[in-house]
Amino acid sequence: MSQKRVYLFGNGKAEGNAKMREELGGKGANLAEMNLLGVPVPPGFTITTDCCNEYYQVGQQKIMELLNDDVTAAVKHIEVLMNSKFGDKENPLLVSVRSGARASMPGMMDTILNLGLNDEVAEGMVKKTQNPHFVYDSYRRFVQMYGDVVLEMKPVNKTDIDPFEEIIEKVKAERGVKLDKDLNVDELKKLVQLFKAAIKERTGKDFPNDPIEQLWGAICAVFRSWMNERAILYRKMEGIPDEWGTAVSVMAMVFGNMGDTSATGVCFSRDAANGEPLFNGEYLVNAQGEDVVAGIRTPQQITIVGSKRWAERAGVSEEDRVAKYPSMEEAMPDVYAQLNQIQKNLEKHYHDMQDMEFTVQEGKLWFLQTRNGKRTGAAMVKIAIDLLHEGMIDEKTAIMRCEPQKLDELLHPVFDKKALTKAKVIAQGLPASPGAACGQIVFHADDAKAWHEDGHKVVLVRIETSPEDLAGMAAAEGILTARGGMTSHAAVVARGMGKCCVSGVGSLNVSYKDKTVEIDGVVYKEGDYISLNGTTGQVYAGQVPTKAAELSGDFKELMDLCDKYTKLQVRTNADTPHDAQVARQFGAKGIGLTRTEHMFFEDKKIIAMREMILSDSLAGREKALAKLLPYQKADFKGILEAMDGLPVNIRLLDPPLHEFVPHDLAGQETMAKEMGVSLEAIQRRVASLAENNPMLGLRGCRLGISFPELTDMQSRAILGAACALKKEG
């Protein structure tokens, strides 16, 4: 345990830096680094990851005692830089409390915004800002978030609506408004009181009014979130050790919900879905960060290019786009110019694609986070190769940037283009994470997990996903959501998993209670098949056929780089000419094992093979082997030709013979007819071949010793194929 538990940052200075990920977590280290780079970051402090482990060792009360003096001094540090006071009624300071492990875990742990509000502080903020709607919007958000994260106010059943959202819907219904932002000040005040009453009724706990008590509750809740169910599952999936712990960063609040000159957003220095070198992202005017991630409102694009692409997919005219959904580049050109320059500087500094969060408060830009962005396998390869060509990284770094397990995504099937021309498009959404997915509709995460375990392929359909859905998202072939944009929870997590995802399909009308989704008047039930195209954002009815992926372009260049630096050559297992050809295309340096028993299972081959096995005389076996010889020779010729002189190891036939014979009545009758013998004779021969312990039966060389004519045929086939290829040059 290091002695220093709290690190300060703010006003261009920081006690930490980007190299201190182990102590400060990724978020804390990058907040410190951005300060040192001159990026506008709200001041704050980071409590180390060691303190998280200490929390689990000594308990909540003791960790509060150990941290008390440092946290008190750190809060004063923020007060000085923000010229305001935590808990003060006249000039109040509010803070956010955020998690941050050394490895990125988007959405898996908890965050609390607007902390420090109570009735008296809220009234003081109204006097200071003269903006009561903003103040009480922030207050109801704080009570809702604190109640959920710290006081654990959750839905009782999976089909229940979030208890806070249920209250909001009732208040909106009383006046007939549709959007949260349309609630007036009196309704926002009412929500605060209704939320507090619901918390008391459901949890038995009063909502804390003391800002210091609120702060400690939030810090400890973030520590607790390190061991929540979804975070544990995510760590298992990503190979992140439990002992790393999470840091806690406390920052002065900056507000994106102070009116039309304020906004919040998420952006990427390159496209996280396909790797295109295009700055992109989404923002919302007069909103806070969770609005963008949750997808409650339709986000707007940051760049003009992105906005026009979005409008084209959404079927929005250029006139309506400019009037209703302008890009930040058009609506806030000065802020956009600053944002664009900073994102370029950050990518250049970190030599990698950056995922950034920002807030604009009354025209002033603040950065809240930067991190190396999650990306799909295809984007990972393209970004690595592009950065190599741009001179930002060297060849070995380009190789190391590519996670082996994510390369697997590039080998998965994609939709057959011919099949797509006949497929029925039933909805259009945003291409949040590319790929092809087909499966049966399920609506709840635990159902997706259960169906998957029963052998079904499923598509998880949600209004919007949340971190609680992680297990179901992992089990699903793809994810489809009614809400959310390219930076929503569903999109970011799906890209990290390599899952196909289509988000923001506004035409979906999902009923969790009835387990149905209505699309343009057509109702689809749980268990119905749909297909998703995560590359185009299209949703199709039924099952759409797929085809195998191909090795080309950036992927081939990456594989060539791997060949250049490798010290280890890889051979494949291949039992057919087709398998050998595919392996060769993917760079195999020969065949480590051709298992000849796998070469006999096609219809004509298996009949001849069974005839050989079931014959009770040498003459009968040789007759059957004569039929097999041309098949074997053709297969070996195809395999050797695909390998083109590379080494091929062939294992002659050695399995238990009873694996090849027919055990069903229909198969036995076919063989009796084929060989001109009685059914009883075939059944006796099948019974005589059974082996209780095959490893002590005819495995290894013993089959060839028992039936040397079999070894003779296979040797002729192998050498004959090689000689034929030699003659052909």
Side-chain angles (χ1 to χ4, degrees):
M1 176 70 209
S2 62
Q3 291 303 304
K4 189 168 179 61
R5 293 183 170 91
V6 175
Y7 288 75
L8 308 180
F9 59 83
N11 201 27
K13 299 177 182 177
E15 294 180 337
N17 58 55
K19 296 178 181 177
M20 298 177 66
R21 296 179 68 88
E22 292 187 16
E23 299 96 326
L24 303 179
K27 183 171 285 158
N30 286 335
L31 287 169
E33 188 77 3
M34 283 195 291
N35 265 280
L36 299 175
L37 293 172
V39 176
V41 176
F45 60 92
T46 300
I47 302 171
T48 65
T49 56
D50 282 340
C51 291
C52 179
N53 292 324
E54 210 172 8
Y55 170 87
Y56 287 101
Q57 292 164 6
V58 303
Q60 181 165 321
Q61 193 58 43
K62 182 64 175 175
I63 200 71
M64 287 167 59
E65 292 173 13
L66 290 169
L67 286 169
N68 186 64
D69 290 348
D70 288 338
V71 168
T72 301
V75 170
K76 283 187 167 50
H77 155 78
I78 302 176
E79 290 175 338
V80 169
L81 293 181
M82 293 299 288
N83 193 28
S84 53
K85 191 169 175 59
F86 191 54
D88 188 69
K89 298 172 188 175
E90 307 297 328
N91 185 25
L93 166 71
L94 303 186
V95 297
S96 63
V97 181
R98 302 167 185 266
S99 59
R102 69 171 88 166
S104 176
M105 296 174 59
M108 296 304 114
M109 294 176 292
D110 292 322
T111 294
I112 299 97
L113 306 179
N114 305 316
L115 189 140
L117 276 167
N118 57 33
D119 292 346
E120 292 80 10
V121 170
E123 282 303 309
M125 282 188 69
V126 169
K127 290 177 184 175
K128 181 181 177 182
T129 64
Q130 296 297 303
N131 191 341
H133 190 279
F134 147 69
V135 172
Y136 282 97
D137 179 49
S138 300
Y139 196 3
R140 72 91 186 163
R141 289 170 183 272
F142 168 54
V143 176
Q144 182 174 353
M145 198 173 280
Y146 197 94
D148 174 34
V149 171
V150 182
L151 303 178
E152 300 181 333
M153 176 96 159
K154 307 283 186 185
V156 176
N157 302 305
K158 67 181 182 182
T159 55
D160 291 347
I161 189 173
D162 176 89
F164 295 113
E165 292 298 326
E166 187 174 12
I167 294 169
I168 293 172
E169 291 304 317
K170 285 179 181 176
V171 171
K172 286 194 294 190
E174 288 173 5
R175 194 164 56 87
V177 298
K178 291 186 177 181
L179 301 175
D180 293 5
K181 68 183 182 68
D182 294 330
L183 293 166
N184 62 35
V185 174
D186 289 335
E187 288 162 339
L188 292 169
K189 285 184 176 180
K190 182 179 180 180
L191 283 178
V192 170
Q193 300 312 315
L194 289 173
F195 285 174
K196 288 183 177 181
I199 289 168
K200 175 69 173 176
E201 180 182 350
R202 182 76 70 89
T203 69
K205 301 171 186 173
D206 287 312
F207 189 86
N209 284 319
D210 179 8
I212 295 296
E213 184 183 347
Q214 294 172 1
L215 179 60
W216 284 115
I219 290 170
C220 293
V222 171
F223 284 149
R224 283 199 302 276
S225 73
W226 177 250
M227 286 297 180
N228 69 36
E229 191 175 326
R230 63 180 185 265
I232 292 170
L233 174 61
Y234 189 86
R235 287 200 296 276
K236 284 181 180 176
M237 289 165 50
E238 296 291 319
I240 299 170
D242 286 345
E243 59 268 22
W244 279 5
T246 181
V248 180
S249 290
V250 178
M251 302 168 65
M253 273 300 300
V254 288
F255 302 97
N257 58 331
M258 289 188 75
D260 291 342
T261 60
S262 299
T264 188
V266 177
C267 58
F268 300 88
S269 60
R270 298 181 188 234
D271 194 311
N274 60 30
E276 185 181 7
L278 185 71
F279 177 44
N280 68 98
E282 297 169 332
Y283 79 109
L284 280 172
V285 174
N286 197 21
Q288 286 201 335
E290 71 269 22
D291 297 339
V292 179
V293 176
I296 295 166
R297 286 165 53 192
T298 301
Q300 293 159 236
Q301 299 297 307
I302 286 174
T303 65
I304 294 174
V305 172
S307 184
K308 287 185 174 182
R309 287 183 180 181
W310 169 84
E312 186 178 341
R313 285 193 296 260
V316 175
S317 70
E318 177 64 6
E319 187 179 356
D320 278 354
R321 182 195 73 78
V322 174
K324 298 176 183 178
Y325 308 105
S327 67
M328 175 178 273
E329 191 174 356
E330 294 162 304
M332 298 179 172
D334 292 341
V335 173
Y336 170 80
Q338 188 183 1
L339 177 69
N340 189 29
Q341 188 57 54
I342 291 174
Q343 68 88 12
K344 288 179 181 177
N345 294 345
L346 287 173
E347 179 177 278
K348 189 174 181 181
H349 179 76
Y350 285 101
H351 303 293
D352 202 354
M353 185 267 279
Q354 293 300 291
D355 168 0
M356 298 151 283
E357 294 178 17
F358 64 89
T359 288
V360 181
Q361 178 177 314
E362 297 183 310
K364 179 172 173 54
L365 175 66
W366 296 92
F367 266 66
L368 307 180
Q369 173 173 288
T370 192
R371 61 187 174 192
N372 293 339
K374 296 283 184 185
R375 63 205 73 177
T376 63
M380 173 185 72
V381 173
K382 178 166 178 53
I383 290 169
I385 296 300
D386 282 355
L387 290 175
L388 170 65
H389 292 166
E390 292 165 25
M392 271 207 227
I393 58 176
D394 59 25
E395 290 180 341
K396 289 185 177 180
T397 303
I399 294 170
M400 297 305 291
R401 284 279 172 86
C402 296
E403 303 169 36
Q405 65 272 28
K406 288 184 78 70
L407 288 175
D408 182 54
E409 294 171 31
L410 279 73
L411 311 181
H412 288 185
V414 295
F415 284 134
D416 188 307
K417 289 182 180 178
K418 290 183 180 178
L420 281 182
T421 61
K422 301 175 184 177
K424 181 184 177 184
V425 178
I426 56 175
Q428 175 70 54
L430 297 172
S433 185
C438 177
Q440 293 173 275
I441 296 171
V442 294
F443 295 94
H444 300 289
D446 50 357
D447 291 337
K449 187 169 180 283
W451 283 46
H452 174 73
E453 288 170 353
D454 286 342
H456 298 274
K457 291 186 175 182
V458 299
V459 172
L460 180 63
V461 179
R462 300 286 292 167
I463 297 171
E464 64 209 24
T465 63
S466 71
E468 282 77 11
D469 297 322
L470 182 65
M473 295 172 75
E477 301 298 307
I479 298 114
L480 174 65
T481 68
R483 296 177 182 167
M486 300 291 283
T487 56
S488 66
H489 174 269
V492 173
V493 174
R495 284 197 291 269
M497 289 180 174
K499 295 280 180 181
C500 171
C501 177
V502 176
S503 64
V505 184
S507 59
L508 299 187
N509 185 7
V510 178
S511 171
Y512 293 144
K513 184 178 180 182
D514 299 329
K515 294 189 176 181
T516 61
V517 55
E518 181 186 343
I519 307 173
D520 292 335
V522 180
V523 176
Y524 298 86
K525 302 185 295 295
E526 184 174 65
D528 288 346
Y529 278 93
I530 58 171
S531 301
L532 308 180
N533 190 333
T535 306
T536 65
Q538 290 177 313
V539 184
Y540 310 95
Q543 297 171 276
V544 180
T546 60
K547 67 171 188 174
E550 298 175 352
L551 175 63
S552 61
D554 293 323
F555 192 15
K556 184 178 187 308
E557 186 171 348
L558 177 70
M559 292 295 99
D560 290 343
L561 281 180
C562 292
D563 279 345
K564 179 177 178 180
Y565 290 103
T566 187
K567 296 178 181 177
L568 181 72
Q569 292 191 333
V570 178
R571 297 182 186 176
T572 185
N573 279 1
D575 313 315
T576 67
H578 175 265
D579 289 350
Q581 188 63 48
V582 170
R584 190 80 179 88
Q585 288 170 355
F586 282 108
K589 301 302 181 188
I591 297 179
L593 179 62
T594 292
R595 297 157 293 192
T596 53
E597 67 269 19
H598 288 187
M599 301 169 77
F600 294 103
F601 288 116
E602 293 176 16
D603 287 346
K604 291 181 180 178
K605 297 177 187 177
I606 192 66
I607 290 173
M609 185 67 178
R610 286 172 171 174
E611 186 180 334
M612 188 276 296
I613 294 169
L614 295 171
S615 296
D616 55 6
S617 68
L618 175 62
R621 287 194 294 275
E622 287 180 336
K623 179 184 174 185
L625 288 169
K627 296 178 185 178
L628 282 174
L629 178 61
Y631 295 132
Q632 281 270 275
K633 182 176 177 180
D635 281 346
F636 285 127
K637 186 179 178 186
I639 289 170
L640 296 173
E641 185 175 11
M643 285 295 128
D644 193 19
L646 292 171
V648 177
N649 291 331
I650 298 167
R651 185 174 73 196
L652 298 184
L653 194 66
D654 81 331
L657 294 182
H658 71 259
E659 289 184 1
F660 290 98
V661 296
H663 294 280
D664 61 302
L665 182 60
Q668 291 172 350
E669 288 174 341
T670 298
M671 287 310 304
K673 184 178 178 182
E674 191 79 23
M675 296 175 66
V677 298
S678 69
L679 174 63
E680 291 74 19
I682 294 294
Q683 289 174 330
R684 280 196 303 274
R685 181 69 175 143
V686 169
S688 72
L689 289 169
E691 296 183 19
N692 288 326
N693 187 340
M695 299 308 290
L696 295 178
L698 292 175
R699 296 304 303 268
C701 63
R702 292 188 286 273
L703 182 62
I705 293 171
S706 299
F707 301 103
E709 58 273 15
L710 184 56
T711 302
D712 180 88
M713 181 276 290
Q714 289 198 293
S715 300
R716 284 171 182 265
I718 294 166
L719 297 173
C723 290
L725 288 170
K726 193 74 176 172
K727 284 179 183 176
E728 293 170 15

